[in-house]
Amino acid sequence: MAGIPRERILERLHAKRARGAPIIGGGAGIGLSAKCQEAGGADLLVVYNSGRYRMAGRGSLAGLLAYGNANEIVADMAREVVTVVRDTPVLAGVNGTDPFYDPDEFLPRLAALGYSGVQNFPTVGLIDGVFRANLEETGMGYAHEVELIRRAHALDLFTSPYVFCAQDAAAMAEAGADVIVCHLGLTVGGGIGARTALTLEECAQRIDAWSAAARDVRGDVMVLCHGGPIAEPDDAAFILRTCENVHGFYGASSMERLPVEEALTARTRAFTELTL
């Protein structure tokens, strides 16, 4: 199964920008999510291990813990997700800090499974404090994720990495990232969402700074926003009209977990409130 060529993806995304329309990406933890998001007009779909956990009712941060082999989960999910999508690029979340994976073997395998590109997930960018410092000191740091994007770009795979600061954004742009996704933290809301988050105004300031850092390196890099308090369409609209250089939104929990929680709860309540 062949993925969609990188150049064709870029043509589509630049055409949307030329029309003044935002680029919209979504995380797909199950085939039905992918099918529905494609029907809704998503430009990109991303499959990563936390999507499987999220749609199993566990918090998305389960994807960062030792509950399964992240890279093998993504390879296995291709059978369910890639095969149900007709004409939308599907990207694979790759754990670039995994000391046991071989990118020279794994990246071509993902392409053969039908993935059109990659994203860096699980990512140590979500980890801070002493634990993050220790990961960096012991050879499991963010630089490996930058190298993942560099290798994927060399294979002409589409790349849309998460970044967490201006330095990350510049490094990923230099490595050849087609899109950088400004990650503002675990998405708020719902039964298993975050309750500690930045404000939308704080997000806008960070996105502008990170976008500027990336575009100082390469002026053609596109910038999306993701996570934290940017959970609903109105939140994304605020960011899109407030930031100087952001070209769209990427939602994971926003695209599949929150809608499913709300719809299933409301539908079940409608039935349970029937009277005889």
Side-chain angles (χ1 to χ4, degrees):
M1 180 182 298
I4 298 174
R6 173 174 168 267
E7 284 304 315
R8 191 186 308 171
I9 300 171
L10 289 171
E11 287 173 7
R12 293 179 181 181
L13 300 186
H14 286 305
K16 282 205 77 174
R17 287 184 58 193
R19 298 197 304 270
I23 297 163
I24 303 297
I30 57 175
L32 184 60
S33 294
K35 194 169 187 176
C36 291
Q37 289 178 46
E38 182 174 53
D43 300 297
L44 302 167
L45 295 172
V46 186
V47 174
Y48 41 55
N49 68 328
S50 68
R52 173 171 284 182
Y53 296 126
R54 176 170 55 240
M55 298 309 286
R58 275 66 179 178
S60 295
L61 291 182
L64 273 69
L65 298 174
Y67 302 148
N69 184 312
N71 288 336
E72 292 306 321
I73 287 172
V74 164
D76 179 67
M77 289 172 72
R79 296 182 302 155
E80 178 179 350
V81 177
V82 175
T83 56
V84 81
V85 174
R86 293 182 178 274
D87 193 38
T88 305
V90 183
L91 314 182
V94 178
N95 184 1
T97 61
D98 180 352
F100 301 103
Y101 99 113
D102 178 359
D104 293 330
E105 179 275 330
F106 190 62
L107 294 179
R109 174 150 68 101
L110 291 177
L113 289 170
Y115 285 113
S116 301
V118 302
Q119 186 175 51
N120 57 325
F121 196 91
T123 170
V124 299
L126 283 168
I127 302 171
D128 56 16
V130 174
F131 184 38
R132 172 64 182 277
N134 290 163
L135 288 172
E136 297 287 344
E137 292 162 356
T138 54
M140 291 174 281
Y142 190 81
H144 289 291
E145 300 179 28
V146 176
E147 181 61 21
L148 158 69
I149 297 305
R150 191 184 311 279
R151 286 172 175 262
H153 177 71
L155 293 173
D156 207 30
L157 292 169
F158 185 86
T159 54
S160 65
Y162 282 135
V163 302
F164 302 85
C165 64
Q167 182 180 354
D168 292 349
M172 286 298 190
E174 190 277 330
D178 298 300
V179 172
I180 65 163
V181 183
C182 298
H183 198 306
L184 286 310
L186 185 65
T187 303
V188 304
I192 52 174
R195 288 169 176 77
T196 302
L198 301 166
T199 66
L200 287 172
E201 290 77 9
E202 290 170 330
C203 289
Q205 294 170 3
R206 294 189 184 198
I207 292 165
D208 275 340
W210 303 352
S211 175
R215 292 168 68 81
D216 281 346
V217 176
R218 274 196 17 254
D220 63 335
V221 68
M222 290 172 275
V223 180
L224 305 185
C225 59
H226 167 77
I230 316 171
E232 301 291 342
D234 285 348
D235 304 325
F238 173 87
I239 295 295
L240 293 176
R241 69 172 178 264
T242 303
C243 291
E244 293 183 11
N245 275 307
V246 65
H247 309 115
F249 169 74
Y250 166 62
S253 290
S254 299
M255 290 294 200
E256 57 175 0
R257 175 179 64 81
L258 290 173
V260 166
E261 285 189 52
E262 295 161 4
L264 290 185
T265 303
R267 176 57 63 93
T268 304
R269 184 172 292 120
F271 278 111
T272 60
E273 291 176 350
L274 294 175
T275 59
L276 296 175

